[in-house]
Amino acid sequence: VTVLTRKTTSGLRALDSAPWIRATPFRKGVSELPARLLTDLQRQHLATLATRLHLPPRKIVYREGADATWVFFVAEGVVKAFRDLPSGKRRVTAFLVPGDIFGLAENGQYVNAVRTVTEATLFRIRTEELTDVLRRDPELGFQFLCKVTNDLRRAQRQTIVLGRRDARGRLAMFLGILEKHASGKSDPDIIPVLMSRSDIADYLALSLEAVSRATRELATEGILRFEDRHTVRVTDRRRFQRLIAAN
Amino acid sequence: VTVLTRKTTSGLRALDSAPWIRATPFRKGVSELPARLLTDLQRQHLATLATRLHLPPRKIVYREGADATWVFFVAEGVVKAFRDLPSGKRRVTAFLVPGDIFGLAENGQYVNAVRTVTEATLFRIRTEELTDVLRRDPELGFQFLCKVTNDLRRAQRQTIVLGRRDARGRLAMFLGILEKHASGKSDPDIIPVLMSRSDIADYLALSLEAVSRATRELATEGILRFEDRHTVRVTDRRRFQRLIAAN
DNA sequence: CGTAGTATTGAAACGGATCAATATCTGTGG
DNA sequence: CCACAGATATTGATCCGTTTCAATACTACG
């Protein structure tokens, strides 16, 4: 598979292709929605260190346990972080979307494998170069701290989801999360579901069949309608929210 | 309930009662075990901002949704972060032990409630003062980034645990985690279980009864022995590890 | 237009939740 | 020091929903 890479150039034009991150800050702000954190200056700085890559769907970015050479920024598309268990089961620990980062190592190695779900545009920076910058630019380091704190909240939210026993409820919570991510898109009742059923199953720790049945149930109950396999319309928002909260 | 607080004094003696944090760094090191991250100088600096508090067991530190005034450091004891769900169920998102931090806000509010499990000694620093320091001292900010990244891994590991369907396996993985935390104690086969069965149930998203049965099963199978309710001895390490890995 | 991966549907079995009863522990006051 | 009360934990029986196995349908891509 061909991987396109290109060194980004510094300067004003570079912002079109400079890394960025999105998170909810610590402090109380005007909006609860996550915001872009980096200043143009910071982005330009990172851009001088970053390489851009454009990847096709279902391409492995790196494997679990590999040497953590790079830290990645998602610019476009969706990727998944996952682990394969001894039993052959696969656990998706996170879906990463534009504004997310991944590849922060532990002990010099990646802890999850990462694979593109859709076509994706990423930036990558050498781990050492990034940590050098972070150790020198306190404001930038602080932005990253906000981001990782946010990711921690996300992981905790997933434990809440997995704590539910009913497949319908887990699926509804998952779709609710997707909806927040995609908020600001054209039709507010449309949720784009970019990943496959079995990716969802791996994320929700359900069998593929259970996900399939849950989708059908929610549809026959009139809560959702599937325009196609990757597009859901919320047809009864009240019951949708009630199902999400009912745990 | 009486809460003892005391402003720490700066200077050399302050290290006896200065905040500290523990985490596995990004880079490959000599040991895989988490290490103390802060330098004496950094600790002294934090000590000038910190207040020490000593809390009895089962004392609420703060509630979910409260204004995030303070960031906390665990010096001694165990506390739990949790959320109460509409159904009345309680989900423990994390047990926090010495070297851990908690109270990093999202949008100015705490996202979990926190309560002591055992008697505990904490340090607290005003959120604004801490963030000010972090924005000025890049090395310190970087240490915090390592720490939060570590916590993110921990949360991801918990999603792996919750992904398992069998109560015995979940319990075994939980005990395995506890064992790592307590490693370096006298008898390597003894795991101190400082929390109650129902805390464990809330953490593992199991019913109290399921936890109870799982403990009994592991004991009757000869994998563990309960010296008392809060002390487990691993009697068959091979099968213990196999059970942990079998997922 | 075929083929491999992806998804749906059905039937049976397993395992945890729940309800209910009982046991044990812990801390308090007599 | 003991007895008691409230919280914590154990054990049993039934129910329900998900897993698993199996067969079939769909769909995207070359």
Side-chain angles (χ1 to χ4, degrees):
Chain A
V1 183
T2 319
V3 178
L4 309 170
T5 77
R6 193 190 75 187
K7 271 279 177 190
T8 55
T9 53
S10 58
L12 291 175
R13 296 284 311 150
L15 283 183
D16 298 337
S17 60
W20 54 283
I21 59 182
R22 182 190 294 275
T24 306
F26 292 134
R27 312 189 56 166
K28 196 165 182 61
V30 279
S31 150
E32 285 185 15
L33 293 175
R36 287 184 174 232
L37 293 187
L38 303 181
T39 65
D40 286 353
L41 206 63
Q42 289 170 331
R43 296 185 57 210
Q44 282 178 15
H45 188 178
L46 291 179
T48 61
L49 306 173
T51 307
R52 203 166 81 126
L53 35 162
H54 193 81
L55 300 175
R58 270 167 273 158
K59 172 97 178 105
I60 294 276
V61 180
Y62 55 71
R63 293 176 198 282
E64 177 182 347
D67 280 348
T69 318
W70 309 91
V71 173
F72 294 82
F73 300 70
V74 183
E76 279 172 46
V78 179
V79 307
K80 64 178 178 187
F82 65 95
R83 242 178 275 195
D84 285 315
L85 305 178
S87 65
K89 283 194 173 72
R90 173 169 290 182
R91 286 281 99 95
V92 171
T93 48
F95 290 109
L96 301 158
V97 299
D100 284 333
I101 59 179
F102 62 94
L104 290 173
E106 187 159 286
N107 220 27
Q109 300 190 322
Y110 295 126
V111 289
N112 299 309
V114 172
R115 207 174 95 133
T116 58
V117 172
T118 65
E119 196 179 5
T121 305
L122 309 176
F123 291 97
R124 69 179 185 193
I125 299 184
R126 285 202 171 272
T127 306
E128 292 149 32
E129 293 186 8
L130 182 64
T131 55
D132 280 353
V133 176
L134 294 177
R135 300 174 98 124
R136 226 169 308 117
D137 180 346
E139 272 299 329
L140 190 64
F142 187 73
Q143 305 295 298
F144 272 73
L145 182 60
C146 289
K147 179 60 184 167
V148 177
T149 303
N150 251 257
D151 289 347
L152 175 60
R153 305 289 166 230
R154 248 203 292 188
Q156 287 180 347
R157 235 166 278 144
Q158 194 190 349
T159 66
I160 305 280
V161 173
L162 294 185
R164 291 191 71 158
R165 195 138 299 272
D166 58 321
R168 284 165 67 253
R170 280 195 217 180
L171 180 64
M173 291 185 85
F174 175 68
L175 292 173
I177 293 169
L178 284 190
E179 190 175 31
K180 275 205 203 76
H181 282 176
S183 69
K185 297 290 185 299
S186 50
D187 188 331
D189 286 337
I190 291 285
I191 307 175
V193 182
L194 268 30
M195 56 290 293
S196 71
R197 293 282 182 276
S198 84
D199 281 339
I200 297 174
D202 292 343
Y203 181 81
L204 297 178
L206 291 170
S207 66
L208 173 59
E209 296 91 327
V211 173
S212 188
R213 280 186 254 268
T215 54
R216 184 168 51 76
E217 285 169 24
L218 292 182
T220 51
E221 289 169 26
I223 296 176
L224 307 172
R225 202 173 64 219
F226 284 78
E227 314 270 314
D228 67 67
R229 262 173 182 164
H230 294 289
T231 315
V232 181
R233 174 182 294 280
V234 180
T235 49
D236 189 336
R237 179 146 311 261
R238 188 167 312 283
R239 280 198 293 160
F240 182 58
Q241 296 299 347
R242 197 177 332 136
L243 180 55
I244 289 175
N247 70 335
Chain B
V1 184
T2 319
V3 178
L4 308 171
T5 76
R6 192 190 75 187
K7 269 281 177 188
T8 56
T9 51
S10 58
L12 290 174
R13 297 285 310 151
L15 282 182
D16 298 336
S17 60
W20 54 283
I21 58 183
R22 183 191 294 276
T24 307
F26 293 134
R27 312 189 55 166
K28 196 165 182 61
V30 278
S31 152
E32 285 186 14
L33 293 175
R36 287 184 174 232
L37 293 188
L38 303 182
T39 65
D40 287 353
L41 206 63
Q42 289 170 331
R43 294 185 59 210
Q44 282 179 16
H45 188 179
L46 290 179
T48 61
L49 305 173
T51 306
R52 203 166 81 123
L53 31 161
H54 194 81
L55 300 175
R58 271 166 272 157
K59 171 97 178 107
I60 293 278
V61 181
Y62 56 71
R63 292 175 198 283
E64 177 183 346
D67 281 348
T69 318
W70 309 92
V71 173
F72 294 82
F73 299 71
V74 183
E76 278 173 46
V78 179
V79 305
K80 64 178 178 186
F82 66 95
R83 242 178 273 194
D84 285 314
L85 304 178
S87 65
K89 282 193 174 73
R90 173 169 291 182
R91 287 282 99 95
V92 171
T93 47
F95 290 108
L96 301 158
V97 298
D100 283 333
I101 59 178
F102 63 93
L104 290 173
E106 187 159 286
N107 221 26
Q109 300 190 322
Y110 295 126
V111 289
N112 299 309
V114 172
R115 207 174 96 132
T116 59
V117 172
T118 66
E119 196 178 6
T121 305
L122 309 176
F123 292 97
R124 68 179 185 193
I125 299 184
R126 286 201 170 272
T127 307
E128 293 148 32
E129 293 185 10
L130 181 64
T131 54
D132 280 354
V133 176
L134 294 177
R135 300 174 99 124
R136 227 167 309 116
D137 181 345
E139 271 301 328
L140 190 62
F142 188 73
Q143 304 297 299
F144 272 73
L145 182 60
C146 289
K147 179 60 184 166
V148 176
T149 303
N150 251 255
D151 290 347
L152 175 59
R153 304 289 165 231
R154 247 203 294 189
Q156 287 180 348
R157 236 166 277 143
Q158 195 190 350
T159 65
I160 305 280
V161 174
L162 294 185
R164 290 191 72 157
R165 194 136 305 268
D166 58 321
R168 282 164 69 254
R170 280 195 216 181
L171 180 65
M173 292 185 85
F174 174 68
L175 292 174
I177 293 170
L178 285 190
E179 190 175 31
K180 276 206 204 74
H181 282 177
S183 69
K185 297 290 185 297
S186 51
D187 188 333
D189 287 338
I190 291 284
I191 309 175
V193 182
L194 269 29
M195 55 291 293
S196 70
R197 294 281 183 276
S198 84
D199 281 339
I200 298 174
D202 292 344
Y203 181 81
L204 297 178
L206 290 169
S207 66
L208 174 58
E209 296 91 326
V211 173
S212 188
R213 277 185 255 270
T215 55
R216 184 168 52 75
E217 286 169 24
L218 293 183
T220 51
E221 290 169 26
I223 297 175
L224 308 173
R225 201 174 66 219
F226 284 79
E227 314 270 315
D228 67 67
R229 264 173 181 164
H230 293 289
T231 315
V232 182
R233 175 183 293 281
V234 180
T235 49
D236 188 337
R237 176 141 319 254
R238 188 167 312 284
R239 280 197 294 159
F240 183 59
Q241 295 300 346
R242 196 175 336 133
L243 180 55
I244 289 175
N247 68 338

